């Protein structure tokens, strides 16, 4: 984390952020103001098309905004040239559809997140496998993801998101493709990680009961916090 420029308690500081698509015709974000404290668990709700994924993509530096200010973990993302090292150090992504690479093993799927880092290969394998064991996947490390259940795949995705010890986890409907029992197990894991590791958790959901688990709920409507 880049502490020099980070305001003491807010790990995410967004001011009047704007992002447009279709040559400016679609305002996906239309002046978002948001501050999230370090270690906070925030849920993000809003109708389809309100800009939730776009906002997560801006915070996780998957894309760039045109206007406004966005500082994440002390990094000014409007000015930053190289997003990839910022992402691998600070951000863990969990998507609705796990996005695992089908022809890599479970362990390799977790290891690839460390390729941007200086971790030696042997350590990468050790670290990935230890984390997978802690998520009760020790007997699956050499399997390919297609052999796993939906819940197991999402646990692999959680391991992949955590392996670089990110300061922020961005979860985009992480239980959206799971049955409710499996979804609850995934939510319990996320809550435990948040609690134990003091990681900042921003979770997009359309389920009010999931949103209620967070310390704070925010709503997006037409590209603005409502
Ligand atoms: P949500 O996650 O809340 O469903 P999104 O952030 O995906 O909303 O989308 C917000 C708006 O921006 C929508 O109108 C969507 O169609 C548009 N949009 C998102 N991504 C793109 C893109 N890559 N190209 C064009 N339009 C996009």
């Amino acid at each position: 984390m880049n502490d020099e420029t980070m305001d003491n308690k807010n790990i995410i500081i967004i001011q009047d952020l704007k992002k447009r698509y279709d040559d400016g015709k679609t305002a996906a974000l239309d002046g978002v103001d948001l501050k999230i404290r370090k270690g906070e668990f925030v849920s993000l709700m809003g109708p389809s098309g309100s800009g939730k994924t776009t906002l997560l993509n801006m915070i996780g530096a998957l894309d760039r905004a045109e206007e406004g200010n966005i500082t994440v973990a002390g990094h000014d993302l409007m000015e930053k040239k190289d997003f990839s090292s910022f992402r691998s150090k600070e951000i863990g992504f969990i998507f609705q559809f796990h996005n695992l690479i089908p022809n890599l093993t479970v362990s390799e799927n977790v290891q690839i997140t460390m390729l941007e880092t200086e971790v030696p290969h042997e350590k990468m394998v050790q670290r990935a496998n230890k984390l997978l064991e802690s998520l009760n996947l020790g007997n699956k490390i050499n399997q390919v993801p297609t052999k796993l259940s939906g819940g197991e795949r999402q646990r692999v995705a959680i391991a992949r998101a955590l392996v670089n010890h990110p300061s922020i986890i961005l979860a985009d409907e992480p239980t959206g493709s799971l049955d409710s029992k499996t979804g609850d197990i995934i939510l319990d894991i996320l809550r435990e990680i948040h609690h134990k590791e003091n990681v900042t958790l921003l979770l997009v959901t359309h389920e009010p009961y999931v949103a209620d688990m967070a310390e704070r709920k925010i709503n997006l409507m037409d590209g603005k916090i409502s």
Side-chain angles (χ1 to χ4, degrees), residues 201-219:
L201 177 57
L202 179 57
L203 185 145
V204 169
T205 181
H206 61 270
E207 300 273 10
Y209 91 96
V210 176
D212 284 343
M213 291 175 186
E215 293 160 335
R216 180 158 60 110
K217 295 188 275 185
I218 53 177
N219 269 287

Side-chain angles (χ1 to χ4, degrees), residues 85-153:
S85 76
F86 159 79
R87 265 198 312 262
S88 59
K89 279 202 195 101
E90 306 288 355
I91 308 287
F93 290 101
I94 304 170
F95 303 97
Q96 178 175 0
F97 301 102
H98 55 80
N99 295 4
L100 300 174
I101 298 173
N103 54 345
L104 295 182
T105 66
V106 159
S107 178
E108 287 164 346
N109 263 285
V110 177
Q111 289 168 41
I112 50 167
T113 321
M114 289 179 274
L115 292 178
E116 287 270 335
T117 66
E118 312 265 288
V119 181
H121 178 71
E122 225 169 278
K123 260 232 131 64
M124 283 204 293
V125 178
Q126 256 176 27
R127 225 208 258 180
N129 293 352
K130 199 168 156 218
L131 190 54
L132 286 162
E133 276 159 27
S134 77
L135 290 161
N136 284 328
L137 289 164
N139 57 344
K140 305 284 182 192
I141 52 177
N142 294 317
Q143 294 272 24
V144 286
T146 45
K147 296 266 163 78
L148 270 52
S149 71
E152 286 169 341
R153 286 180 207 159

Side-chain angles (χ1 to χ4, degrees), residues 21-22 26 28 47-54:
Y21 291 110
D22 299 328
T26 307
S48 181
S50 58
K52 304 180 296 295
T53 298
T54 305

Side-chain angles (χ1 to χ4, degrees), residues 2 61 64 75-83 85-86:
N2 191 354
R64 239 174 236 285
H75 299 262
D76 180 345
L77 298 187
M78 298 305 280
E79 295 295 324
K80 204 159 199 61
K81 301 273 185 301
D82 169 30
F83 275 166
S85 76
F86 159 79

